[in-house]
Amino acid sequence: MESKPDSSPIMLERLYSVVHPNAIYGVAFSPDGELFASASLDNTARIWRASDGALVTTLTGHGDGVAFAGFTADGRRVVTASLDRSVRIWTREGRLVANLSGHQDYLACGTVSARGSWIASGGFDKSVRLWDSQSTASVASFSGSDDTVQCLGFSADGNWLASGGDDATIRVWNLAAHSLIRKLTGHVGTVEGLAFSPKDGGLLASAGADGTLRLWNCDGPAPTPSAVETISPMVTLDSSATKLKSVAFSPDGVLLAAGGAEGRFEIWQVNDRKPLLARTVHQNTIYAVAFHPDGRRLATASFDRSIHVWNILASE
Amino acid sequence: MIELRGAKHRFCDGVSRRSFLKIGGLAAAGGLTLPQLLRAESAGGSAGRHKSVIMVFLSGGPPHQDMFDLKMDAPVEIRGEFRPIATRVPGLEICELFPRMAAMSDRLAVIRSVVGSEGRHASFQCMTGRTFDRQPAGGWPSLGAVVSRLQGPARAGTPAFVGLSPKMRTSTWADPGQAGFVGQAHAPFTPNSGNADLTLQGISIDKLSDRHGLRQRLDQLKRIAEVNSSLEGFDAYNQQAFGILTSSRVADALDLEQEDPAVRERYGRGANVPAGYGDAGPLMNEYFLAARRLIEAGTRVVTLAYGRWDWHGRPHGTNFENARDHFPQLDQGLTALLEDLHERGMDQDVSVLVWGEFGRTPRINKNGGRDHWPQVACALLAGGGIRAGQVIGSTNRLGEHAKDRPVHFQEIFATVYHNLGIDINQATIRDWSGRPQYLIDHSQYQPLRELV
């Protein structure tokens, strides 16, 4: 599974793999790069050592599958979102700190802001909830989605939250005003993955069940408080996957990685929209991709119960 | 390794001295002496060839149209994500994720038109051939219990009926088949049922060692037995229990460490954790291997629940993601079993039946799943002397219902009984009211003429 295409300027070298006994829905590195967290349908999240994949601890207690696991911006806490409708906050050592409830149905996604202390969660109740990881308070609930919310992403500055889902629409929320500011339309089918560029504040990438990767420019004049701007994609990239499920920017914003059905994985160069690599790296849908903070490694998490951690190498 | 409940004795290589003494001491109290037990075991000798069945229950209802009856002409919302592949049987195409089955299809009989499902999320109908409602006094016995009752153990010290299903949150899927009106003497031995390791019909080593408690239990059971026939053959039951607990055969059969590593590898392993939503049996290919070893040891019927096939879709994975997870593993485990049976010369004696409680909806739901569809289902039969290498029945263009040759659950049971040498037109067992019951409704259902 690890090889480079003849014409590919980069290649992947698999460093190691870790497994859960059931499908894996989420993977995220800690800000210091020492650990990564995984979320699984086996009802657990696990913390692993990033250098070699050694298991550090298992977070148990959720009553159903775990859809998301990620670290808070300060790296001291782990956040999980579960099909059991709860969001939980844990220490890195695995001690439960808080159990946040309020959702009325399965959670399908979660995310943590790279700045500040925001947590967001979304799911089958069509709502998006905003939480504060330090106070553990419920800050806001955003309604308006017409169907299940499948993915979320904070902007790098922590001012915006994007949500997407089964209604094929991406919504961008202003976190200070707790208001919807933009609706992004163009996907034909579920929006499965979202990621804001860490370097280009308004650049948003989305991965769709329609097999496309789309780039959106969310910058521009702020709409008036009562107006919601509807914008179209800046770029649409046709993936080699029949369906995409996950997307992530590299820490420098130069690369965009996407995972999809049947284990398809792609890396694109953002500035010229050039495909750098397209490979089948798993045996089933890739539910999550995450870059290591050093930008030279990445992790792919799949329904095939495995996470692969890769070195990204330039082809010779 | 087997651990006896409570005492945690190793039981992988015979019986520990401590356990031996416990059982021996009790044997005196219960009327059986250890020498008698050992003589019985010795007299058992080799089991020789015996007809047997391995039933693989695909808990939750497998998607017939994605496995053996792909509908490539159907609209996209019905067709699904998989492509068919050719097999060794002319005209038979199956899912691309079953390449090993395709290569072995001349040893399989695919039934595309199973009808008569009562639609319950349970193993009951697959285990009994009967519907749950309006049961006779004592309840319908499962296939294993019937065979145990009619044919008894093939070998002393080995139970006739073993259920490998582990404990599950969905207990109706964990049900390995009940004794019903044939009596508890014929209930399955369930080594994987969690809190009852190596117990037989509720009697564990702890209970056996508790003479006072056991006497009370025996007296109680005998009183019940006087009222009805549920405990017919109680002495045999005791002897069987003692026999199993004092013989190493079952423990040896379940100790896969004794198997050739190459053979284990061929079967594949799997994860010993609840599959899918966490409420079903594990996707454990080692169960297939354990089943073969149990049959070799003298068991007549082995049932096992395999994975979780109730694929309603997200957030628990789409039907197709789950299929990509389960299908290749079933393909490996099942074909390894069939090949193994063939190589050991057992394939003509061992019937293998693979099925679930119902099929799944033709239309894919908004979460990428398929829902319950009792209208039609599929089944796979192999071995046991059937004329394999054929497909029986068909469904309409959308896989909604049987188009021709509908095959009822009881016809499949009739075929399996035929393979076991049991005449369904003659054999009867009295229910608790004393009424003789045929094994199936033989006036309506007979063995599949295409196969026998």
Side-chain angles (χ1 to χ4, degrees):
Chain A
M1 271 196 284
E2 53 222 73
S3 62
K4 68 182 178 68
D6 294 337
S7 58
S8 179
I10 62 172
M11 60 181 287
L12 296 177
E13 174 192 50
R14 191 157 76 188
L15 288 174
Y16 57 82
S17 300
V18 300
V19 298
H20 275 261
N22 211 325
I24 304 179
Y25 280 181
V27 64
F29 286 95
S30 60
D32 62 11
E34 291 184 358
L35 304 171
F36 68 90
S38 59
S40 172
L41 198 50
D42 69 7
N43 296 8
T44 74
R46 299 185 186 200
I47 310 297
W48 313 81
R49 196 164 61 204
S51 59
D52 59 1
L55 179 64
V56 175
T57 191
T58 300
L59 311 182
T60 59
H62 277 299
D64 204 337
V66 185
F68 166 80
F71 290 85
T72 54
D74 63 10
R76 296 172 56 199
R77 297 282 187 267
V78 178
V79 176
T80 56
S82 169
L83 278 54
D84 72 6
R85 308 180 182 191
S86 73
V87 173
R88 298 188 184 198
I89 303 174
W90 318 70
T91 65
R92 284 164 69 124
E93 293 74 35
R95 181 175 61 81
L96 181 65
V97 175
N99 187 355
L100 311 178
S101 59
H103 279 285
Q104 301 301 308
D105 207 335
Y106 295 126
L107 293 189
C109 53
T111 190
V112 181
S113 63
R115 284 189 191 174
S117 55
W118 295 131
I119 300 169
S121 54
F124 280 62
D125 65 3
K126 307 176 187 176
S127 76
V128 174
R129 285 179 178 264
L130 186 67
W131 317 81
D132 186 315
S133 64
Q134 290 190 339
S135 69
T136 71
S138 172
V139 177
S141 177
F142 303 128
S143 57
S145 296
D146 295 324
D147 212 329
T148 300
V149 178
Q150 297 283 2
C151 52
L152 296 162
F154 282 109
S155 60
D157 58 12
N159 290 333
W160 295 338
L161 172 66
S163 64
D166 287 354
D167 65 3
T169 301
I170 300 165
R171 290 173 174 78
V172 179
W173 310 86
N174 180 323
L175 298 183
H178 295 176
S179 62
L180 177 66
I181 54 173
R182 291 190 174 85
K183 290 172 76 171
L184 284 52
T185 60
H187 275 293
V188 183
T190 299
V191 182
E192 299 278 10
L194 286 170
F196 273 103
S197 167
K199 296 299 180 187
D200 182 352
L203 182 62
L204 176 70
S206 60
D210 58 9
T212 67
L213 199 59
R214 295 174 194 247
L215 294 174
W216 314 77
N217 181 7
C218 297
D219 281 330
T224 59
S226 59
V228 176
E229 183 185 21
T230 299
I231 61 175
S232 299
M234 192 167 60
V235 176
T236 297
L237 306 172
D238 285 325
S239 161
S240 65
T242 54
K243 296 178 181 179
L244 286 174
K245 183 67 184 170
S246 47
V247 63
F249 278 99
S250 60
D252 58 8
V254 170
L255 303 178
L256 189 63
E262 300 177 62
R264 290 296 289 176
F265 178 71
E266 299 178 345
I267 295 179
W268 297 75
Q269 194 156 276
V270 174
N271 60 358
D272 59 3
R273 295 42 161 152
K274 182 182 172 187
L276 301 181
L277 179 142
R279 286 288 176 272
T280 297
V281 299
H282 280 277
Q283 295 172 349
N284 214 329
T285 304
I286 297 175
Y287 265 68
V289 295
F291 280 89
H292 188 275
D294 68 13
R296 298 193 301 272
R297 285 174 280 173
L298 61 83
T300 53
S302 170
F303 202 87
D304 71 7
R305 309 171 186 225
S306 70
I307 290 174
H308 300 325
V309 176
W310 309 86
N311 261 339
I312 307 169
L313 303 172
S315 293
E316 295 175 358
Chain B
M1 187 192 80
I2 304 292
E3 288 184 341
L4 303 181
R5 186 174 65 175
K8 301 288 183 190
H9 302 294
R10 288 179 60 84
F11 206 75
C12 58
D13 186 18
V15 182
S16 76
R17 185 170 183 274
R18 188 173 164 210
S19 299
F20 210 73
L21 292 172
K22 281 187 179 181
I23 295 167
L26 179 73
L32 272 173
T33 65
L34 187 59
Q36 283 176 311
L37 284 167
L38 295 175
R39 273 198 300 275
E41 182 175 335
S42 174
S46 169
R49 291 177 61 166
H50 63 282
K51 302 292 183 183
S52 54
V53 179
I54 296 172
M55 186 194 294
V56 180
F57 174 59
L58 306 181
S59 333
H64 59 287
Q65 62 278 75
D66 296 315
M67 298 175 77
F68 305 118
D69 194 11
L70 281 77
K71 298 298 183 183
M72 302 313 290
D73 295 332
V76 65
E77 65 271 19
I78 290 174
R79 187 168 63 234
E81 297 182 2
F82 304 130
R83 292 178 294 276
I85 54 173
T87 69
R88 293 170 65 97
V89 177
L92 173 61
E93 293 184 328
I94 62 175
C95 178
E96 61 184 320
L97 298 179
F98 294 139
R100 299 179 202 222
M101 284 191 224
M104 200 183 277
S105 56
D106 53 341
R107 299 186 203 167
L108 307 175
V110 173
I111 304 171
R112 284 177 165 164
S113 52
V114 178
V115 299
S117 167
E118 61 179 336
R120 289 182 69 245
H121 240 337
S123 68
F124 185 86
Q125 194 170 12
C126 288
M127 296 299 163
T128 64
R130 303 283 191 164
T131 54
F132 192 77
D133 293 335
R134 297 188 297 278
Q135 296 188 58
W140 289 117
S142 65
L143 171 79
V146 168
V147 173
S148 173
R149 169 70 173 74
L150 295 179
Q151 298 186 323
R155 195 175 192 181
T158 303
F161 178 21
V162 175
L164 289 176
S165 297
K167 188 177 181 182
M168 305 173 202
R169 210 164 67 218
T170 304
S171 59
T172 53
W173 285 335
D175 176 10
Q178 298 301 309
F181 61 66
V182 304
Q184 287 301 307
H186 305 288
F189 173 60
T190 55
N192 296 323
S193 59
N195 59 358
D197 286 347
L198 209 59
T199 66
L200 187 66
Q201 293 103 14
I203 290 184
S204 68
I205 279 291
D206 290 342
K207 288 177 183 170
L208 287 169
S209 63
D210 175 7
R211 296 185 189 187
H212 177 69
L214 183 63
R215 280 187 186 284
Q216 285 188 325
R217 181 169 166 77
L218 292 175
D219 290 343
Q220 181 187 18
L221 292 173
K222 283 175 179 172
R223 279 197 297 275
I224 295 171
E226 288 170 4
V227 178
N228 60 50
S229 61
S230 69
L231 296 173
E232 181 186 340
F234 189 73
D235 289 341
Y237 159 51
N238 271 322
Q239 291 189 42
Q240 186 185 26
F242 282 121
I244 291 167
L245 291 171
T246 55
S247 164
S248 65
R249 283 200 190 99
V250 174
D252 285 347
L254 294 169
D255 181 8
L256 302 186
E257 295 296 328
Q258 297 183 22
E259 188 65 49
D260 178 352
V263 173
R264 291 185 75 183
E265 209 54 47
R266 193 197 300 170
Y267 276 81
R269 302 292 171 91
N272 192 18
V273 297
Y277 302 18
D279 58 355
L283 202 64
M284 275 282 282
N285 282 19
E286 293 190 333
Y287 284 175
F288 292 111
L289 177 54
R292 188 221 82 205
R293 291 173 61 85
L294 284 163
I295 297 293
E296 276 184 318
T299 296
R300 293 190 188 276
V301 176
V302 180
T303 63
L304 61 101
Y306 182 75
R308 189 189 206 284
W309 301 73
D310 190 25
W311 300 335
H312 291 284
R314 296 176 304 173
H316 294 99
T318 67
N319 175 79
F320 305 99
E321 288 168 340
N322 280 289
R324 286 190 176 90
D325 183 66
H326 277 44
F327 285 7
Q329 199 143 328
L330 173 65
D331 192 44
Q332 180 178 359
L334 181 63
T335 55
L337 171 65
L338 297 178
E339 186 64 27
D340 205 5
L341 293 172
H342 179 72
E343 288 176 356
R344 290 164 189 273
M346 298 166 67
D347 57 325
Q348 293 300 303
D349 296 316
V350 184
S351 300
V352 178
L353 171 58
V354 184
W355 59 351
E357 63 264 49
F358 41 62
R360 302 206 75 83
T361 46
R363 187 172 298 275
I364 301 162
N365 67 29
K366 71 178 284 287
N367 291 317
R370 296 189 191 270
D371 302 311
H372 304 174
W373 192 256
Q375 286 86 334
V376 72
C378 61
L380 204 65
L381 262 171
I386 63 167
R387 284 184 284 156
Q390 56 177 314
V391 57
I392 298 175
S394 65
T395 59
N396 67 329
R397 186 176 72 89
L398 303 181
E400 298 164 302
H401 53 79
K403 189 171 74 177
D404 57 26
R405 188 61 172 106
V407 173
H408 194 273
F409 279 72
Q410 291 202 36
E411 291 178 273
I412 296 173
F413 265 74
T415 306
V416 171
Y417 282 128
H418 172 88
N419 293 351
L420 288 163
I422 296 171
D423 184 350
I424 58 154
N425 298 307
Q426 297 294 326
T428 60
I429 301 173
R430 290 185 185 280
D431 66 20
W432 284 8
S433 69
R435 183 182 175 194
Q437 295 282 357
Y438 285 95
L439 308 186
I440 61 170
D441 297 330
H442 68 114
S443 61
Q444 290 187 66
Y445 306 114
Q446 289 289 312
L448 291 166
R449 62 182 181 279
E450 297 92 334
L451 297 182
V452 300

